[in-house]
Amino acid sequence: EVQLVESGGGLVQAGGSLRLSCAASAFADDRYAIGWFRQAPGKEREGVSCINTNDGTTFIATSVKGRFTTSSDNAKNTVYLQMDSLKPEDTAVYFCAAEPNAPSCRTLAGTDWYEYWGQGTQVTVSS
């Protein structure tokens, strides 16, 4: 079983940046897909990004492309979500999720696809 812990959330002004971290208890092997999702009040959880820890492929949602990037540090069992040029509509609880033995990230999978989830971290962007 993999345990995930997100950190790095907080309050930031519009136009600012935050870097979220997703620390995993352990990667049994290197072939994980790590997804970032977000959920705003009253809205469904939506996919933001995906990274495969084996081949490094990434996929970014159209809504945040050009502003958000994702990366991994396998030595630290940690995946990052760098968020720049933040907007008030980015306000949400951000979750990371992991799926073992995953293929390359070429699209955003839905919430049902991921096996392990973190508890989330709040990001609030003020106008």
Side-chain angles (χ1 to χ4, degrees), residues 31 91 101:
R31 194 177 297 274
T91 295
N101 302 312

Side-chain angles (χ1 to χ4, degrees), residues 1-84:
E1 183 175 347
V2 176
Q3 294 180 333
L4 304 173
V5 179
E6 302 96 334
S7 62
L11 174 64
V12 63
Q13 288 188 331
S17 298
L18 283 174
R19 188 178 78 159
L20 305 184
S21 299
C22 174
S25 56
F27 288 144
D29 55 53
D30 291 334
R31 194 177 297 274
Y32 277 81
I34 306 295
W36 283 99
F37 290 77
R38 65 185 183 183
Q39 188 165 20
K43 295 188 176 181
E44 292 187 355
R45 195 169 296 190
E46 66 169 339
V48 175
S49 67
C50 171
I51 184 168
N52 184 290
T53 60
N54 180 51
D55 61 17
T57 53
T58 62
F59 195 92
I60 305 294
T62 301
S63 60
V64 300
K65 200 167 187 178
R67 300 189 297 122
F68 291 12
T69 58
T70 187
S71 61
S72 68
D73 184 337
N74 289 356
K76 297 181 178 179
N77 293 331
T78 300
V79 168
Y80 303 98
L81 181 68
Q82 178 67 41
M83 306 186 297
D84 298 320

